[in-house]
Amino acid sequence: MAGTVAAVVVAAGRGERAGGDVPKQYRSIAGEPMVRPTLRAFLAHRQVDYVQPVINSADERLYGAATAGLGRLLPAVAGGATRQASVRAGLEALAPRAPDLVLIHDAARPFLTDALIDRAITAGFAAGAAVPGIAVADTIKAIDEAAHVAETLDRNRLRSVQTPQAFSFKLILDAHRRAAAARLENFTDDAALAEWAGQPVSVFEGDPGNVKVTTNEDFARAEIARLAALSDVRMGNGFDVHAFTDGDHIMLGGIRVPHTRGVMGHSDADVALHALVDAILGALADGDIGQHFPPSDPQWKGAASDRFLSFACERVRARNGMIAHLDVTIVCETPRVSPHRDAMRARIAAIADISVARVAVKATTSEKLGFAGRGEGILAMATATIRLPWSAT
Ligand code: CTP
Ligand code: MG
């Protein structure tokens, strides 16, 4: 049951039912544009070889911002006027790679889990066409034009169907091509196309959490669901010291601060950013800055510390987590930090890709006591609060 696996993620819709200033897939849920966790779920899955996004060509800028730093995505292709046309564009883009199996998924379902992708791949390889379904809790009735009940359907035989839907790539590409040639354009999911092509479609266990975000109300519910899932709240602390030396400025909080001295260090010696990096790594229980960026490694000589901070933030996002808060205290007699405080907060927020309201920068002297008090060096202490999906370990 091996073979190459691709995922097509369709994100070319206009999100008319949801309304809002931007198409729904670019609207934020718990601090991230919806399409980002959707794509990341496939990128993070060990069996998925290719991830093919399909977007609306009007959204290129939004898409670029939403996916910055995600890595290994295939270049996005333009979708069409219907979901069906968008899926076909994604399949055609994958055709030269000819994967064995393709998972077709809506960008508007950002809560899919690794376990659901596992089930889709297993069922797809076993059956050639497989969709996730969940039992319906309500009794479903078919109605006539006068809104009278025409029929009460047997609930036990009904399934509410989601994505990702898994297909043999050849089979579904062929079905899409044939449907397009026959000008049949109103299939609402890919399973319907496979059925039309005569392929039996099997149903595997879906996931009630894998909801499609369709309306404005769905956004409010999705936000609550996401935050509830991120219930593993962790804090980490970080500390850093650098000695002053000759110079005319220091890097502090990502900002160049003019000063009568410089700071000694292998990288740009930004104590505030270094303390924050260690705080985030501490919250992740993932080593420290020296372990990830050894001072003995010449590539970090003079390196701008933004890179260390964005690396640490990416480690949080790679675990499907979010950074809830960053707080740093800088201790020195001079330079005065307060004139630069807001610029530092803005810079740190930009590097960490969080709102400036989630970044605090504080400063104090040490009352002329100790090395900081004597002006021999500068130190910073930081606390990071992160939220990760709950796990038993
Ligand atoms: N989609 C697409 N191309 C289209 C229409 C839809 O790629 N021409 C995608 C959407 O971006 C979404 C998925 O198909 O990820 C499911 O569609 P839906 O939830 O209906 O999204 P929209 O069509 O954007 O929303 P609406 O119908 O409310 O306008
Ligand atoms: Mg639609």
Side-chain angles (χ1 to χ4, degrees), residues 288-368:
D288 62 19
I289 189 169
Q291 180 186 330
H292 294 285
F293 302 98
S296 54
D297 186 337
Q299 68 166 309
W300 309 123
K301 189 165 166 48
S305 297
D306 338 9
R307 287 179 56 187
F308 306 155
L309 184 55
S310 48
F311 167 86
C313 296
E314 223 22 75
R315 304 281 282 190
V316 176
R317 299 208 167 91
R319 283 173 58 177
N320 273 322
M322 73 178 276
I323 295 164
H325 194 66
L326 297 175
D327 182 17
V328 62
T329 301
I330 299 162
V331 184
C332 58
E333 302 296 319
T334 56
R336 273 173 50 75
V337 171
S338 54
H340 306 284
R341 183 203 313 273
D342 286 338
M344 290 178 186
R345 291 178 65 211
R347 182 74 195 119
I348 292 165
I351 301 166
D353 198 12
I354 57 177
S355 132
V356 74
R358 295 177 181 275
V359 179
V361 173
K362 311 184 308 302
T364 181
T365 70
S366 73
E367 298 290 338
K368 305 230 166 2

Side-chain angles (χ1 to χ4, degrees), residues 39-360:
L39 291 170
R40 194 175 44 224
F42 290 104
L43 291 171
H45 194 281
R46 69 196 182 292
Q47 274 173 281
V48 175
D49 301 292
Y50 308 113
V51 182
Q52 176 63 65
V54 181
I55 66 169
N56 193 294
S57 39
D59 298 340
E60 267 166 32
R61 201 185 49 77
L62 288 166
Y63 173 79
T67 55
L70 273 186
R72 88 174 184 95
L73 287 169
L74 294 177
V77 293
T82 59
R83 182 187 181 283
Q84 183 186 333
S86 295
V87 171
R88 187 158 67 87
L91 295 173
E92 292 290 359
L94 281 169
R97 296 174 199 270
D100 295 306
L101 191 75
V102 63
L103 309 177
I104 301 172
H105 187 69
D106 294 336
R109 292 186 190 266
F111 300 115
L112 84 163
T113 61
D114 211 57
L116 183 64
I117 299 175
D118 278 344
R119 294 203 288 279
I121 293 174
T122 304
F125 274 124
V131 299
I134 47 180
V136 293
D138 293 327
T139 294
I140 310 273
K141 294 182 192 287
I143 57 170
D144 62 20
E145 295 77 30
H148 289 131
V149 172
E151 193 188 347
T152 297
L153 301 165
D154 175 5
R155 195 164 65 192
N156 293 323
R157 296 190 54 225
L158 296 175
R159 292 294 177 271
S160 177
V161 165
Q162 312 178 318
T163 69
Q165 302 190 347
F167 305 94
S168 142
F169 182 76
K170 262 208 237 38
L171 177 147
I172 200 70
L173 175 62
D174 182 60
H176 267 274
R177 282 177 175 168
R178 286 202 285 132
R183 298 194 184 282
L184 294 169
E185 285 153 6
N186 290 315
F187 291 99
T188 55
D189 75 347
D190 301 286
L193 265 153
E195 293 156 39
W196 170 77
Q199 165 71 30
V201 178
S202 82
V203 179
F204 60 93
E205 186 66 31
D207 177 355
N210 176 37
V211 290
K212 181 152 79 79
V213 179
T214 305
T215 64
N216 204 28
E217 292 69 48
D218 291 341
F219 271 91
R221 270 192 293 273
E223 186 105 358
I224 292 166
R226 173 86 177 122
L227 291 175
L230 291 173
S231 59
D232 197 348
V233 178
R234 298 177 176 209
M235 293 176 78
N237 69 63
F239 175 82
D240 195 36
V241 175
H242 282 283
F244 283 126
T245 180
D246 293 339
D248 62 0
H249 75 278
I250 63 174
M251 289 304 293
L252 194 58
I255 298 290
R256 186 186 160 102
V257 176
H259 190 40
T260 51
R261 324 261 1 237
V263 267
M264 234 181 298
H266 190 70
S267 65
D268 67 6
D270 186 326
V271 282
L273 295 198
H274 291 186
L276 284 166
V277 171
D278 262 356
I280 296 167
L281 293 174
L284 288 169
D286 186 12
D288 62 19
I289 189 169
Q291 180 186 330
H292 294 285
F293 302 98
S296 54
D297 186 337
Q299 68 166 309
W300 309 123
K301 189 165 166 48
S305 297
D306 338 9
R307 287 179 56 187
F308 306 155
L309 184 55
S310 48
F311 167 86
C313 296
E314 223 22 75
R315 304 281 282 190
V316 176
R317 299 208 167 91
R319 283 173 58 177
N320 273 322
M322 73 178 276
I323 295 164
H325 194 66
L326 297 175
D327 182 17
V328 62
T329 301
I330 299 162
V331 184
C332 58
E333 302 296 319
T334 56
R336 273 173 50 75
V337 171
S338 54
H340 306 284
R341 183 203 313 273
D342 286 338
M344 290 178 186
R345 291 178 65 211
R347 182 74 195 119
I348 292 165
I351 301 166
D353 198 12
I354 57 177
S355 132
V356 74
R358 295 177 181 275
V359 179

